[in-house]
Amino acid sequence: FLGHQLNDIVEMMLMRIARGSCTGGLAAPRPVQQFRDGFSHLRPLLELSHSEIIDALTKAGVEWREDSSNRSGKYTRNRIRNEVVPLLRRASPQDAIKGAGRTRELLEEDDEALNWWLTSMVGRVRKGRIFDLSPLRGKPRALIRRAVERFLWTNEVRPVLGRHQVERLIQAAIEGDLLRLEVGKEIVVVTKKCQFLIEERKSE
């Protein structure tokens, strides 16, 4: 169980917008987050703002502790929390904190819809050296991007690829071009038959 609340949503959303994130990244933190190893993160306070939680604790006579590092400008999240979010709240005619919470919910729905659509066409992406993308020929780029990213993550290749390399793979998948990328000890190959192949690099 984690204590994330509404204010954490707007802070994380702004951080990820600056970094460049898709719907999955912008939909974080989620009320229920399940991991492949069977563990789950639960966030029961996600619909409450920081001020609402403080008010409830005060009325109940419950003491709480504040992390002293929250006041430091050393961390990006703190700078966004203490400098950017107050400006956003003053500039917006609506409640920016609750608005961010609602946006997160809608993004999570969109992300789940895209994942369902992708799975219905290509099935569950499993660990393996070959992945056929032909069912996605002519489909929106967002689906092809998810398929490529999912295949690379499943095969533990994505962490060593740069964003530019991933974009080249996605474009090659869309156009059916032949593209060969060397990745550490492995080689990622995109064929003209809309298949992704991962081959071991041959030793010299």
Side-chain angles (χ1 to χ4, degrees):
F1 288 86
L2 300 174
H4 293 114
Q5 27 82 11
L6 268 176
N7 296 65
D8 291 307
I9 290 176
V10 68
E11 293 165 11
M12 186 171 292
M13 191 173 291
L14 290 171
M15 290 173 65
R16 294 195 171 185
I17 286 174
R19 189 177 68 187
S21 293
C22 62
T23 54
L26 294 175
R30 301 179 184 232
V32 179
Q33 184 179 8
Q34 297 178 327
F35 298 90
R36 292 178 181 176
D37 58 10
F39 285 92
S40 298
H41 285 171
L42 304 179
R43 300 179 174 89
L45 304 179
L46 211 52
E47 294 184 359
L48 299 174
S49 68
H50 180 268
S51 60
E52 289 172 329
I53 294 172
I54 295 300
D55 287 344
L57 291 172
T58 302
K59 290 178 182 178
V62 177
E63 295 184 359
W64 67 91
R65 297 180 63 181
E66 293 279 351
D67 189 336
S68 60
S69 68
N70 287 342
R71 295 187 294 272
S72 171
K74 178 180 178 181
Y75 305 105
T76 302
R77 178 183 285 275
N78 288 354
R79 293 195 296 272
I80 289 177
R81 174 187 299 140
N82 298 323
E83 301 173 24
V84 179
V85 173
L87 290 174
L88 176 63
R89 298 185 73 175
R90 288 197 296 270
S92 175
Q94 291 84 26
D95 187 331
I97 302 298
K98 292 190 180 296
R102 176 57 177 162
T103 298
R104 191 215 65 77
E105 293 175 1
L106 295 173
L107 286 168
E108 183 177 7
E109 290 179 3
D110 290 348
D111 189 58
E112 290 176 350
L114 285 168
N115 285 333
W116 178 89
W117 190 11
L118 176 61
T119 302
S120 69
M121 286 187 289
V122 299
R124 184 179 178 183
V125 178
R126 302 180 184 277
K127 192 167 185 176
R129 300 304 183 185
I130 301 177
F131 181 42
D132 184 16
L133 281 172
S134 58
L136 298 179
R137 188 181 288 119
K139 296 297 188 295
R141 186 184 184 93
L143 285 176
I144 296 173
R145 175 183 298 280
R146 282 171 183 265
V148 171
E149 290 272 11
R150 190 178 294 183
F151 175 68
L152 296 174
W153 278 109
T154 300
N155 284 280
E156 302 175 357
V157 175
R158 181 61 180 90
V160 294
L161 284 172
R163 180 170 297 182
H164 178 67
Q165 290 175 306
V166 175
E167 291 301 324
R168 289 180 62 197
L169 287 170
I170 292 169
Q171 192 61 37
I174 291 173
E175 297 177 358
D177 291 341
L178 174 64
L179 178 63
R180 187 181 184 89
L181 287 181
E182 295 188 2
V183 185
K185 296 181 180 180
E186 294 179 311
I187 298 175
V188 180
V189 180
V190 183
T191 72
K192 292 183 178 180
K193 296 180 180 179
C194 293
Q195 284 188 334
F196 268 65
L197 306 176
I198 297 180
E199 299 177 347
E200 295 293 335
R201 178 182 293 178
K202 296 181 180 180
S203 58
E204 297 180 357

